[in-house]
Amino acid sequence: MRILTASDRALLVEAADLDEAMRLNLAWDGVPGVVERIPGARTVLVRFDPLRVSARELAAVLESTEVDAEHVPHTREVTVPVRYDGEDLDEVATLLGVSAEEVVNRHLSAEWQVAFSGFAPGFGYTVSTDPLFDVPRRSSPRTRVPAGSVALAGHFTGVYPRESPGGWQLIGRTDAAMWDIDRDPPALLSPGTLVRFERVRAAVAGALSPDSAGSLTRAKGPASDEGVLRQAQQPNPGIEVVRPSLQLLVQDLGRFGHAALGVSASGVADRTALRDANRAVGNRPDAAVLESVGGCVLRFRGDGVAATAGAIGELTLTDAAGTTRTIPQGAPFATADGDELALGHPARGLRYVIAVRGGVLAPQALGSTASDTLAGLGPAPLAAGDVLGIGDAGHLSADPHPQPRALPASGDLVELDITLGPRDDWFTPAAIETLTGQDWTVTPRSDRVGIRLHGETPLERSVAGELPSEGAVNGAIQVPPDGQPVLFLPDHPLTGGYPIIGALTDRCLDLAGQLPPGARIRFRVVDAADRRSSPSEPQHRSGPDDDAPRASANSATDSTEKSPS
């Protein structure tokens, strides 16, 4: 095997083939210091806790693994009914040199097993022993693939659990629920499952096997009449959304340990801001908060204590009598029934974090209230009129003296530490120099999934072709064919097929979550092979002048360093 650096907290292990990758993934269950494993087509991404084991120590343990099993055991069997009427069926037949009917018949007769999950919750990469199925992805991905689409790419069959972009070849449709949060396991096509596809000629209301019964669900959000966040169902105390921001979400530290189901951790984009806001009001560090991209207006129900951290902008509190006062950044302030908190457009940073004493109450999905915008897990984005409850007022000792943070404004230059790999060898030496030698601008085409960057010189690849799907970490720098990188944020897909040239160190993730459009990035390579803690703090320079004084941004510490990221 070959072991590559995926970040300062992750290694990517290359296996000989898919079968070996699956067996190695099983063999590493319980290895000390390992936080999570994400198997891919020929790799296993191993995330670890650097406080317990260094990358070098872990690599030695992984290299010494002996695998005796010849085959991966299957966990259960399911039947998936399919209407073979996909838009790409005839094109797939042409690519494979057979008739469309033969494609269907061999798809039905092949023995399929789920090798791994990724891309989205419930998306299982299912492989067979039939050598016919080796299909290239579409040259131009679709921006919208309907839920239930049965598709081929490479040696795999997959079923899209929800509407999403995608570049796989569509051969049919199914009404089977690929993901149901109330089912055990929630993913119908979980790793190890044996799958039999069954042809149906007419619409089917759900799957034909007990295992696949149910429907695609998500945690009830505030936009649902049945959600627990609606105003009519929520007693005092609470928080009412008067005017939402561009994106107003409920967040916490995220949901961990579900990568095998295709579920990423998600969670707040700026853990430092979450920690600071919760500490200011006396909450536990993992209490749920609101995350707001830009300004918004909130109304408090009942008396309480709140604090705002993260983005820096004008904060005002207006009471029921119309008296307005300025609220200090990061410090706790008392709220009375009817008070309205107005957050102005950020002058620095991008995302506000609003904490209330007792924590925000919201529906949980897999043990977390985090809103995953890519997967559709957790509460939906908040809208005007939505009301959220507030938890028990019992609290820890509050910290009324927050540490100041230097966050970037549009045009500022930010220096971020990265580790190279795992696929830096897919790029020319000139591309590596370009990655670290030029500024990259944050474009408006950015969200919680990733930041789209633009540089004057795109990154040039030395290896052409497609990369078999493999795991990706938060902070990964993925490079599409146009050579303009995408910097992954918390809601990124767990697996992907574009090469990753490097990844942010853990300390830089929070600052990345605060980068506004127009900010400039300069990447700085560090070597984290032997580190049990993260390297130096990220830096940013104020204003467009490269010679301007530097200011450091606080890094994630304390409880956030002890939690998976």
Side-chain angles (χ1 to χ4, degrees):
M1 69 181 72
R2 188 167 72 134
I3 299 180
L4 308 171
T5 297
S7 75
D8 64 335
R9 299 190 174 207
L11 299 174
L12 186 75
V13 183
E14 286 186 337
D17 51 30
L18 173 62
D19 187 63
E20 183 180 62
M22 296 171 68
R23 288 184 282 123
L24 285 172
N25 179 55
L26 293 175
W28 291 328
D29 188 25
V31 172
V34 171
V35 173
E36 200 163 42
R37 308 181 310 280
I38 304 174
R42 291 200 295 267
T43 60
V44 181
L45 181 72
V46 182
R47 294 181 56 249
F48 63 92
D49 181 354
L51 298 178
R52 298 178 59 193
V53 63
S54 72
R56 192 177 302 278
E57 291 166 344
L58 179 59
V61 173
L62 301 182
E63 284 180 324
S64 65
T65 303
E66 294 184 3
V67 180
D68 297 326
E70 295 183 359
H71 301 287
V72 177
H74 72 272
T75 55
R76 58 182 184 139
E77 301 181 14
V78 299
T79 298
V80 177
V82 180
R83 301 185 296 282
Y84 288 94
D85 56 1
E87 297 177 39
D88 303 323
L89 179 57
D90 290 336
E91 182 178 349
V92 167
T94 300
L95 289 170
L96 298 180
V98 298
S99 67
E101 189 62 22
E102 183 171 352
V103 171
V104 173
N105 288 336
R106 292 179 69 167
H107 195 260
L108 290 168
S109 61
E111 295 181 357
W112 296 90
Q113 185 174 20
V114 182
F116 58 95
S117 297
F119 177 65
F123 190 94
Y125 289 77
T126 307
V127 66
S128 81
T129 56
D130 190 331
L132 175 70
F133 295 104
D134 187 0
V135 182
R137 291 177 172 87
R138 290 174 53 86
S139 57
S140 177
R142 291 181 171 89
T143 58
R144 176 184 175 275
V145 177
S149 295
V150 180
L152 302 176
H155 298 283
F156 300 102
T157 286
V159 181
Y160 285 79
R162 66 193 304 261
E163 182 181 303
S164 61
W168 287 34
Q169 307 279 5
L170 309 184
I171 63 170
R173 295 174 292 162
T174 182
D175 292 327
M178 294 297 107
W179 177 263
D180 184 345
I181 196 70
D182 297 319
R183 185 173 55 199
D184 186 18
L188 177 63
L189 302 186
S190 56
T193 300
L194 293 182
V195 182
R196 182 173 68 87
F197 294 100
E198 182 173 87
R199 187 173 195 168
V200 293
R201 304 277 182 182
V204 177
L208 300 182
S209 70
D211 285 315
S212 55
S215 60
L216 183 65
T217 61
R218 58 174 297 171
K220 295 294 185 181
S224 167
D225 290 338
E226 300 176 9
V228 301
L229 306 182
R230 296 304 298 172
Q231 177 173 341
Q233 296 174 297
Q234 183 58 60
N236 286 340
I239 311 171
E240 179 182 355
V241 179
V242 178
R243 188 186 74 229
S245 60
L246 292 174
Q247 187 179 66
L248 183 60
L249 304 172
V250 178
Q251 292 293 347
D252 57 20
L253 285 176
R255 50 183 64 85
F256 306 102
H258 303 290
L261 300 177
V263 179
S264 68
S266 186
V268 70
D270 183 350
R271 299 162 300 172
T272 299
L274 177 141
R275 177 207 65 189
D276 288 348
N278 275 327
R279 179 179 292 172
V281 299
N283 286 342
R284 290 171 50 88
D286 57 354
V289 298
L290 298 183
E291 178 186 88
S292 177
V293 176
C296 65
V297 177
L298 306 172
R299 180 180 296 128
F300 295 96
R301 294 187 172 193
D303 299 340
V305 178
T308 300
I312 300 170
E314 183 180 9
L315 309 176
T316 59
L317 190 70
T318 303
D319 63 22
T323 302
T324 299
R325 61 188 175 97
T326 300
I327 298 300
Q329 173 79 14
F333 57 93
T335 62
D337 187 56
D339 284 355
E340 290 191 0
L341 173 66
L343 287 69
H345 181 76
R348 294 190 172 277
L350 180 66
R351 292 178 168 89
Y352 290 106
V353 170
I354 306 101
V356 290
R357 180 169 293 175
V360 172
L361 293 180
Q364 289 195 351
L366 299 177
S368 170
T369 59
S371 177
D372 186 331
T373 59
L374 178 66
L377 285 176
L382 301 176
D386 291 334
V387 177
L388 298 97
I390 296 176
D392 192 326
H395 61 279
L396 308 175
S397 297
D399 180 3
H401 305 293
Q403 294 294 320
R405 296 177 71 192
L407 295 181
S410 181
D412 283 3
L413 178 63
V414 178
E415 291 186 346
L416 299 177
D417 290 343
I418 64 170
T419 55
L420 289 179
R423 299 301 174 188
D424 52 311
D425 57 350
W426 278 52
F427 297 86
T428 64
I432 303 300
E433 293 182 5
T434 299
L435 175 68
T436 59
Q438 76 173 3
D439 295 351
W440 299 93
T441 301
V442 176
T443 72
R445 298 172 59 209
S446 303
D447 53 25
R448 281 180 51 87
V449 175
I451 300 172
R452 294 183 179 272
L453 303 176
H454 177 77
E456 182 178 348
T457 303
L459 300 178
E460 180 184 16
R461 281 172 55 169
S462 59
V463 178
E466 295 181 351
L467 178 70
S469 294
E470 61 188 27
V473 299
N474 186 13
I477 305 169
Q478 189 184 69
V479 185
D482 64 3
Q484 300 291 348
V486 178
L487 176 58
F488 280 167
L489 289 184
D491 291 354
H492 68 88
L494 276 180
T495 59
Y498 294 139
I500 292 173
I501 193 171
L504 297 186
T505 61
D506 186 77
R507 283 185 183 270
C508 293
L509 294 177
D510 294 343
L511 184 54
Q514 291 289 0
L515 294 175
R520 297 174 298 139
I521 296 175
R522 182 69 64 90
F523 293 117
R524 179 175 57 193
V525 176
V526 298
D527 182 6
D530 289 309
R531 296 181 186 271
R532 286 182 176 268
S533 60
S534 300
S536 60
E537 293 180 349
Q539 305 283 329
H540 93 260
R541 302 175 182 177
S542 301
D545 184 359
D546 288 355
D547 295 326
R550 296 187 182 188
S552 65
N554 286 353
S555 59
T557 54
D558 299 342
S559 62
T560 55
E561 280 195 348
K562 299 174 184 176
S563 301
S565 61

